[in-house]
Amino acid sequence: MTGTATGTAQGDAPLLDVRDLRVDYDVAGAAGWRRRALTVVKGISFTIAPGETYGLVGESGSGKSTTGRAILRLADVSGGTILVDGQDVATLGRRTPLAYRRDVQAVYQDPAASLNPRHRAGRALTETLARHGLGDRDERRRRAAEAFEQVGLTTEHLTRYPSQMSGGQLQRVAIARALVLGPRLVVCDEAVSALDLSTQAQILSLLTDLQSASGVSYLFITHDLGVVRHVAHRVGVLRGGELVEQGETRQVLDHPRHEYTRSLLAASPASHPEGREERRAERAARRAVTARAATAGATTAQEAA
Ligand code: ADP
Ligand code: MG
């Protein structure tokens, strides 16, 4: 294979095509009264193919979430273009069309924060479907139940309150809500960062399975190189709003070209090439956990996560 260190997906026309993206925030100046533009994303370019996972890594404050927010149209784009399926997102107008919201969904770090504590979990999905004018009441309930099943929850979970569910279960609800609309792209912003290691492994393999089944693409934002190695086909390394390096995950993590990538790897023992043996053992342990969860069956699925 050639061109492994490029920002371009091989083969398929990209689903997401980000070109020279710049995002400025309007912040208070030194004196506290004069506003000034702070550029936090400084002209980055990358693509994501249909069915592909692109990992965006970097330290806290490097501009990862801002990049995701720009793609979700939650942050204003100051320069460059974002194309989804060839369409320039800037032409969509200020109010994001429902069709775009269906196509581009998000899963965040803290699922509890995006679920209403007074609503039963299933309602997060039926309300999302209602907002998008999809199906009648029965149809929405049926689709919510189906989506719960796809993420390893049971119909019993539909009527639980968030306080009655574990972190892993809540993240499954958030994933079900994102996927019930049949998106083309899901921005996963630190989606497993708050979970313990074995739950992390289960959620990551769930996301991978759902991708295989649906062909959805992921922009996987994380500060954790171990997570990136696990899920991303390609990876981009962001530092101070600039992509210092990108390419196929193995290429970048095993043969980093940029000094900054090397320093990130050095600070992350689990994903360092020298930690390969430990990683292998860890992966085997994760597989065992996932296998146990899978064979435990639907009745105990709630205990597994
Ligand atoms: P990351 O997700 O990589 O941690 P962010 O995209 O959240 O980084 O933030 C990038 C930079 O932009 C940081 O310096 C942060 O403080 C700043 N920032 C984020 N959101 C805002 C905002 N709404 N207004 C001003 N500055 C912001
Ligand atoms: Mg962030």
Side-chain angles (χ1 to χ4, degrees), residues 114-176:
S114 63
L115 292 171
N116 189 325
R118 285 162 308 170
H119 290 179
R120 297 176 194 277
R123 190 162 157 191
L125 275 71
T126 52
E127 275 185 357
T128 297
L129 290 166
R131 199 174 317 122
H132 286 266
L134 299 170
D136 58 18
R137 222 178 90 150
D138 287 346
E139 165 75 1
R140 291 197 288 268
R141 287 188 166 178
R142 196 186 57 73
R143 285 178 68 167
E146 199 177 274
F148 264 44
E149 198 181 313
Q150 278 162 0
V151 299
L153 296 170
T154 68
T155 49
E156 197 227 319
H157 293 110
L158 290 164
T159 55
R160 289 215 193 154
Y161 290 98
S163 62
Q164 300 171 312
M165 301 174 96
S166 69
Q169 288 169 345
L170 292 172
Q171 200 56 294
R172 287 174 195 264
V173 175
I175 292 166

Side-chain angles (χ1 to χ4, degrees), residues 64-65 189-190 221:
K64 304 182 299 295
S65 291
D189 191 344
E190 305 281 6
I221 293 171

Side-chain angles (χ1 to χ4, degrees), residues 9-292:
Q10 310 286 311
D12 293 309
L15 171 69
L16 177 74
D17 188 350
V18 172
R19 297 183 190 167
D20 301 320
L21 175 67
R22 205 186 82 229
V23 181
D24 299 339
Y25 282 127
D26 195 27
V27 294
W33 52 274
R34 198 214 297 244
R35 314 292 293 175
R36 65 186 176 87
L38 176 72
T39 304
V40 300
V41 176
K42 302 173 180 170
I44 66 171
S45 302
F46 63 95
T47 63
I48 307 181
E52 185 183 39
T53 299
Y54 186 92
L56 193 59
V57 293
E59 289 172 301
S60 173
S62 56
K64 304 182 299 295
S65 291
T66 301
T67 301
R69 289 172 58 79
I71 293 161
L72 290 161
R73 303 195 92 221
L74 299 172
D76 289 333
V77 171
S78 311
T81 51
I82 297 170
L83 303 163
V84 174
D85 220 4
Q87 189 186 15
D88 185 347
V89 165
T91 64
L92 294 176
R94 276 215 70 83
R95 249 188 99 91
T96 303
L98 279 177
Y100 189 81
R101 297 227 172 280
R102 274 203 298 279
D103 281 349
V104 185
Q105 280 286 311
V107 175
Y108 297 104
Q109 177 167 350
D110 182 6
S114 63
L115 292 171
N116 189 325
R118 285 162 308 170
H119 290 179
R120 297 176 194 277
R123 190 162 157 191
L125 275 71
T126 52
E127 275 185 357
T128 297
L129 290 166
R131 199 174 317 122
H132 286 266
L134 299 170
D136 58 18
R137 222 178 90 150
D138 287 346
E139 165 75 1
R140 291 197 288 268
R141 287 188 166 178
R142 196 186 57 73
R143 285 178 68 167
E146 199 177 274
F148 264 44
E149 198 181 313
Q150 278 162 0
V151 299
L153 296 170
T154 68
T155 49
E156 197 227 319
H157 293 110
L158 290 164
T159 55
R160 289 215 193 154
Y161 290 98
S163 62
Q164 300 171 312
M165 301 174 96
S166 69
Q169 288 169 345
L170 292 172
Q171 200 56 294
R172 287 174 195 264
V173 175
I175 292 166
R177 179 176 52 190
L179 289 173
V180 77
L181 295 168
R184 314 276 310 275
L185 173 70
V186 180
V187 175
C188 301
D189 191 344
E190 305 281 6
V192 299
S193 302
L195 305 172
D196 63 77
L197 265 191
S198 75
T199 308
Q200 240 184 45
Q202 291 169 32
I203 298 295
L204 292 176
S205 67
L206 170 67
L207 287 168
T208 307
D209 291 348
L210 292 167
Q211 180 173 64
S212 304
S214 68
V216 68
S217 303
Y218 297 130
L219 172 61
F220 210 98
I221 293 171
T222 178
H223 69 282
D224 187 337
L225 289 168
V227 166
V228 151
R229 188 183 284 280
H230 208 74
V231 292
H233 300 106
R234 286 184 307 128
V235 58
V237 181
L238 202 57
R239 180 184 62 172
E242 289 175 285
L243 269 179
V244 297
E245 175 165 17
Q246 59 180 322
E248 290 190 12
T249 303
R250 281 186 167 211
Q251 184 69 27
V252 171
L253 299 190
D254 290 344
H255 307 284
R257 283 145 51 114
H258 199 283
E259 186 47 48
Y260 180 68
T261 310
R262 280 194 280 273
S263 71
L264 278 184
L265 284 161
S268 164
S271 58
H272 196 264
E274 269 96 77
R276 218 172 250 139
E277 277 312 314
E278 292 95 289
R279 276 207 310 281
R280 230 193 300 279
E282 193 185 319
R283 273 201 301 275
R286 287 183 188 196
R287 269 196 302 276
V289 168
T290 312
R292 270 203 302 282

